[in-house]
Amino acid sequence: MTGSERIGAALRGDFSDRRAFTMTLSLYGARLSGSRPGDYYRESALYHRGQAEVAALVDPDVLFGPFAMPLEAEAWGASLVWTDKAPPNVGKPLRSAASFLEREAPRPDSDPRLSYLVESVRLVAADNADTRPVAAVATSPSDLPAMALGIDAWLEILLFDPGLADRVLERSGEHFRALCAAYAAAGAAFVAVPVMFANPRIVTEGIVRERIAPYLAREFGAAGLPVVFHHGANPLAEYLPLFAGLPGVAGFALAERDDLGAARAALGQGALILGGVEGPTIARRPLGRVLEVARSVLRDRAADPRFVFATASADVPWDTDPENLAALARTVREAELARAS
């Protein structure tokens, strides 16, 4: 079976020949292809080459577009900082919400940062059209203001100036919908959306319930692509009742610390659950421990046809031994499925 067939089976709730799996290896493609991040996250051809190397190393069932959301903030006027072995990060956000509201919205077909994201997805999707789906990555419309304006500034607006927050969120939603439409045209099968400013660990549960969840329902329902709701940097399972049944959401990618059984109970049987080993810690944990965690997760979800094994949180680090990733891929492929009789 192909990756596309395995993911299709998982979406239908059917078992396939083995457990579908993926790893967040957006950055790792730069290491495998010998590219500097400053070039890799600017030139779509380099990203395409890196993901071909990822496919050759671990043969995942899903590949990703660039996991480089700060590029979206840069398109809105923020400045970036770069390091030798990591994606870019926001260095200096915009001066004010007025700067965000008054700026002409960047267009995916003309802004070089957004065009890079879309063209990278197009190249990788074209390469894998007959074998595996490609998931684009987009900043959550509830999170783009934090990235573009700074976390403290956005929290202050969200908590104390609801009228201004609504205007900022409207612009952010327009950006999200335009980028998702471009990704869909480029051949993306899903859009993975890390969501942090809808987690009660970051903002109050009242704000999430009354403002952010209804807003995400509107935006995800209009995305034009199935959304994978990514936990961002925090465990999410205990808060899933806030988001179960969101329009447009095909699945939830959860943290290693999340209770996947509780997540399934909260979501019911219809949604995909993605989970596994915390990606950013793989480089500094003994391989035996990584594989032990993976096997535990796989045993726990053996009877769940709508579970996809996936590395959790952000990118797998540059310094991870490629042999460890290959061993993790073999472990997942060899896992037994507890098929219903």
Side-chain angles (χ1 to χ4, degrees):
M1 295 180 74
T2 66
S4 296
E5 289 168 335
R6 291 185 193 99
I7 296 299
L11 285 165
R12 294 190 303 272
D14 296 332
F15 285 109
S16 52
D17 60 332
R18 61 163 174 77
R19 178 67 63 192
F21 84 99
T22 188
M23 302 181 191
T24 310
L25 296 172
S26 173
L27 168 68
Y28 206 74
R31 170 181 169 166
L32 292 176
S33 61
S35 299
R36 296 187 313 114
D39 299 324
Y40 182 76
Y41 289 107
R42 293 298 193 195
E43 300 179 35
S44 299
L46 295 180
Y47 190 84
H48 174 221
R49 186 186 310 164
Q51 292 309 295
E53 296 287 347
V54 166
L57 176 66
V58 298
D59 190 22
D61 291 307
V62 180
L63 285 172
F64 289 90
F67 210 114
M69 296 174 295
L71 295 179
E72 295 180 55
E74 187 189 28
W76 282 90
S79 64
L80 302 184
V81 291
W82 297 81
T83 57
D84 291 338
K85 295 182 177 182
N89 210 339
V90 174
K92 185 177 181 181
L94 294 171
R95 293 189 307 274
S96 67
S99 300
F100 184 80
L101 292 172
E102 295 166 2
R103 180 179 294 269
E104 182 179 352
R107 292 167 44 116
D109 62 354
S110 58
D111 180 89
R113 285 68 54 117
L114 303 186
S115 294
Y116 158 81
L117 295 172
V118 173
E119 179 63 8
S120 295
V121 167
R122 188 191 71 78
L123 291 172
V124 178
D127 234 14
N128 293 273
D130 298 324
T131 53
R132 55 175 66 86
V134 172
V137 180
T139 305
S140 171
S142 61
D143 288 22
L144 179 63
M147 195 171 292
L149 302 176
I151 292 173
D152 290 343
W154 177 232
L155 274 176
E156 183 172 350
I157 292 168
L158 195 58
L159 291 170
F160 302 114
D161 195 338
L164 179 58
D166 285 344
R167 296 196 298 277
V168 170
L169 287 170
E170 182 58 38
R171 290 220 85 192
S172 184
E174 292 168 0
H175 166 92
F176 176 74
R177 294 190 299 273
L179 184 57
C180 287
Y183 279 148
F190 305 93
V191 58
V193 184
V195 185
M196 284 162 280
F197 277 79
N199 193 309
R201 291 171 182 258
I202 306 297
V203 294
T204 69
E205 186 168 335
I207 287 178
V208 175
R209 188 183 302 277
E210 295 165 18
R211 294 175 59 81
I212 301 299
Y215 170 74
L216 291 178
R218 185 186 78 188
E219 296 301 337
F220 289 170
L225 279 172
V227 170
V228 174
F229 189 124
H230 187 287
H231 69 94
N234 293 286
L236 182 65
E238 65 183 296
Y239 304 116
L240 285 175
L242 293 167
F243 308 114
L246 277 183
V249 175
F252 291 81
L254 303 179
E256 182 181 317
R257 289 178 288 162
D258 276 318
D259 182 331
L260 299 181
R264 175 56 73 204
L267 294 172
Q269 299 304 311
L272 289 183
I273 292 176
L274 297 85
V277 179
E278 203 76 9
T281 68
I282 288 178
R284 62 178 185 266
R285 297 163 90 176
L287 176 60
R289 176 57 182 156
V290 171
L291 299 185
E292 179 185 340
V293 171
R295 292 187 184 106
S296 176
V297 170
L298 290 163
R299 286 193 299 269
D300 179 74
R301 293 290 92 203
D304 187 346
R306 287 190 170 93
F307 174 72
V308 175
F309 185 93
T311 55
S313 294
D315 261 313
V316 169
W318 181 288
D319 291 330
T320 306
D321 188 332
E323 290 302 316
N324 289 3
L325 295 176
L328 179 58
R330 286 194 299 272
T331 296
V332 180
R333 289 193 192 96
E334 293 166 2
E336 295 291 329
L337 299 177
R339 300 173 188 274
S341 58

